[in-house]
Amino acid sequence: VIDATSLGWGTRVKGFVACFAIGCLFSVLGTCLFWIPKKGLMLFAVFYTLGNIASIGSTLFLMGPMKQLKRMFEPTRLIATIVMLVSI
């Protein structure tokens, strides 16, 4: 069952690259939309946040979700994880 649900290395890299590229695109798009009068700040916040979430989520493809979460909440990384989650 585990072998049937796990992704191959090539698929993991493709997923990482695609998710990271989408995250970067959304972040750049949010920065560009910032300069639109009246609604620019709201659009910036939405697209920049989605871009950050997609970029961070891209690492889930490389490590797997459970291993990533375990590493994020290790004692040496706990403060950085909390700061990152609060700032999103």
Side-chain angles (χ1 to χ4, degrees):
V1 172
I2 292 175
D3 291 336
T5 59
S6 66
L7 300 173
W9 182 248
T11 306
R12 288 179 183 269
V13 171
K14 289 175 188 174
F16 167 77
V17 169
C19 202
F20 190 76
I22 290 170
C24 289
L25 178 70
F26 274 15
S27 294
V28 170
L29 183 62
T31 304
C32 292
L33 293 175
F34 180 72
W35 305 107
I36 294 175
K38 295 185 183 177
K39 292 191 177 190
L41 186 58
M42 182 184 67
L43 290 172
F44 167 76
V46 169
F47 279 99
Y48 201 76
T49 301
L50 289 175
N52 283 331
I53 291 171
S55 295
I56 292 168
S58 68
T59 61
L60 296 176
F61 282 100
L62 295 179
M63 301 177 78
M66 291 309 296
K67 188 174 180 182
Q68 176 71 21
L69 288 174
K70 285 179 185 175
R71 293 196 69 194
M72 282 175 62
F73 290 101
E74 287 177 352
T76 56
R77 298 179 181 198
L78 186 60
I79 294 173
T81 300
I82 291 171
V83 168
M84 183 221 25
L85 292 174
V86 168
S87 65
I88 288 179

